[in-house]
Amino acid sequence: MLFLVSNDDGIHSPGLEALARALSSLGQVVVVAPDRERSAVGHALTLHRPLRMTRVREGWFAVDGTPTDCVHLGLHGLLAEPPTMVVAGINQGANLADDLTYSGTVAVALEGTLMGVPSFAVSVVAEAEFRFGAAAEAATRIARVMAERGVPPGTFLNVNVPSRDRFEDLRGVLVTRQGKRVYGSGVVRKKDPRGREYFWIGVRELGETQRTGDTDVEAVEEGFVSVTPVRTDLTDGDSLAELRGWPWTEG
Ligand code: MN
């Protein structure tokens, strides 16, 4: 197997190192990652300036761009043949519920999937003191199962793992749906040293979490690995029929 690995925490992230090391037990690993932290850039693609790729060491490449740029260049500029899988992470921090839309980590798996390569993203759920052992082991298990079973085209897996040293310290794996959380704004409003007002989006207070018993948020709270299948097709299929009946051209 050949793995293309990237992240949004940057090429020097210990989570990236842990993931690459774990996957190398299954096959060849090529890392193409941002040269610095690019968290919360979502699925941004750099179009209006050139990108530079620097070889850091054997099989490791840094790009002065976004996580999506890294996957794009890895697939279309670096690798001679498509990899077996694109894997993202291990992110330092959860990618649960609505986090998915901001996440550069999830965007790596999204980009891989859009390019036709089976993909998944792995994140460790913690605020600080990230333990990557259990997540690294979970990633190799998921890669093995995914390679064996395959996922439908247009679907990738978003994986969140409680922060533990060993896979045995987890309660197991639950297949979940993307949850729903309400956040406070977390916006700090102050004056800079020259008296001009500025805003800074800070820690967003966690509000209410929707509890339906099958969400990613609940699974990790209870000590399970959460595996959420995510579709790249954002169409709301349930609304198609009703919206087709709306009076779009009347009046
Ligand atoms: Mn990150």
Side-chain angles (χ1 to χ4, degrees), residues 8-9 37 39 91-92 105:
D8 73 0
D9 294 336
E37 168 151 15
S39 289
N91 190 59
Q92 300 193 147
T105 309

Side-chain angles (χ1 to χ4, degrees), residues 166-243:
R166 300 173 315 143
F167 190 78
E168 293 70 36
D169 301 332
L170 300 163
R171 290 179 68 191
V173 176
L174 288 179
V175 176
T176 57
R177 64 174 57 249
Q178 183 186 351
K180 178 80 196 154
R181 290 202 281 197
V182 179
Y183 288 103
S185 73
V187 170
V188 173
R189 182 179 189 153
K190 286 191 172 171
K191 292 259 166 69
D192 73 13
R194 289 178 182 78
R196 277 186 62 197
E197 188 176 59
Y198 69 84
F199 296 88
W200 197 333
I201 300 174
V203 177
R204 301 180 305 160
E205 292 229 335
L206 202 54
E208 206 176 313
T209 301
Q210 219 175 65
R211 296 189 179 274
T212 52
D214 59 353
T215 61
D216 49 7
V217 176
E218 292 161 279
V220 296
E221 275 177 2
E222 289 158 21
F224 289 90
V225 176
S226 166
V227 176
T228 307
V230 180
R231 293 171 72 158
T232 58
D233 179 351
L234 300 178
T235 310
D236 174 13
D238 294 342
S239 296
L240 280 176
E242 192 198 327
L243 267 72

Side-chain angles (χ1 to χ4, degrees), residues 5 23 151 166 195 243 249:
V5 172
L23 291 176
V151 287
R166 300 173 315 143
L243 267 72
T249 53

